[in-house]
Amino acid sequence: MKIKYLHTMVRVKDIEASKRFYCDLLGLEEIRRMDNEAGKFTLVFLAPPGQTEAQVELTHNWGSEEEYGEGRNFGHLAYEVEDVYALCQKLMDSGVTINRPPRDGRMAFVRSPDGISIELLNAGGAQPPKEPWASMGNTGHW
C-alpha cells in the first residue's frame, strides 16, 4: 500500500503575523490558500522554494478566542493514501480507533499511540460512499 506525506498543520491566531514569520523571515512561499465561509476558517499552505512536497498548513479559525498553548497549536500530520477504506480497515482490525471515519470516501482521522492526530486523504479524490464507513459516527476528537 502506497502512502505519501502531504503536510503538517498548525493553528494560528493571526495569518498575516504568521506569514511574516514563515515567509518573510524563514523564506517559505505561499503555495495556495482556501477560505471556507461555511466552516469559518482559512487554510494557507506554505513550503520552501522548490519543495512543494514539504508543506506546512496554517489554519486560522475566524472569530476564535481560544488561546492555543503548546500541543493545541499543533494540528495534525496528513498523508495521501492509496485506498482510505482499506487502510482504515487495516487500522481498525489492529485495534486503532477511527476518530473521524471516511464517510465521504475521501478523509479520515486517527490518532497515534501518543495521541498525535493523523489525517488520511484518499489519493485521486473521493471514493463512492461505502458501509460501514458511511453511517459510522465520530469517536473522540482529532
Side-chain angles (χ1 to χ4, degrees):
M1 183 165 296
K2 257 175 58 174
I3 187 168
K4 177 183 174 186
Y5 171 81
L6 292 179
H7 63 265
T8 298
M9 183 271 260
V10 293
R11 290 178 179 83
V12 300
K13 295 295 286 177
D14 181 331
I15 287 279
E16 294 311 313
S18 294
K19 280 192 61 188
R20 279 191 294 279
F21 174 78
Y22 287 102
C23 297
D24 298 346
L25 299 176
L26 292 182
L28 302 184
E29 297 174 339
E30 184 172 329
I31 296 171
R32 63 188 165 102
R33 175 185 294 245
M34 183 182 88
D35 293 313
N36 186 307
E37 297 284 334
K40 297 184 180 179
F41 63 85
T42 297
L43 306 178
V44 177
F45 292 86
L46 309 174
Q51 297 180 50
T52 57
E53 71 284 356
Q55 296 179 28
V56 62
E57 170 192 322
L58 306 181
T59 297
H60 176 251
N61 295 300
W62 307 345
S64 174
E65 298 302 319
E66 180 179 357
E67 289 298 320
Y68 304 128
E70 289 182 48
R72 179 68 180 126
N73 54 356
F74 172 79
H76 60 262
L77 300 176
Y79 293 96
E80 181 178 79
V81 300
E82 190 173 13
D83 182 336
V84 71
Y85 291 140
L87 183 54
C88 283
Q89 188 64 59
K90 176 183 176 181
L91 292 167
M92 198 165 68
D93 290 348
S94 298
V96 174
T97 299
I98 309 301
N99 301 101
R100 195 281 190 190
R103 288 182 295 274
D104 56 5
R106 186 182 73 84
M107 176 180 64
F109 278 89
V110 298
R111 286 192 172 269
S112 75
D114 296 304
I116 303 298
S117 184
I118 311 291
E119 178 180 22
L120 306 171
L121 293 165
N122 196 74
Q127 296 185 50
K130 179 169 137 179
E131 293 297 341
W133 313 107
S135 59
M136 191 180 290
N138 295 336
T139 302
H141 64 280
W142 56 88

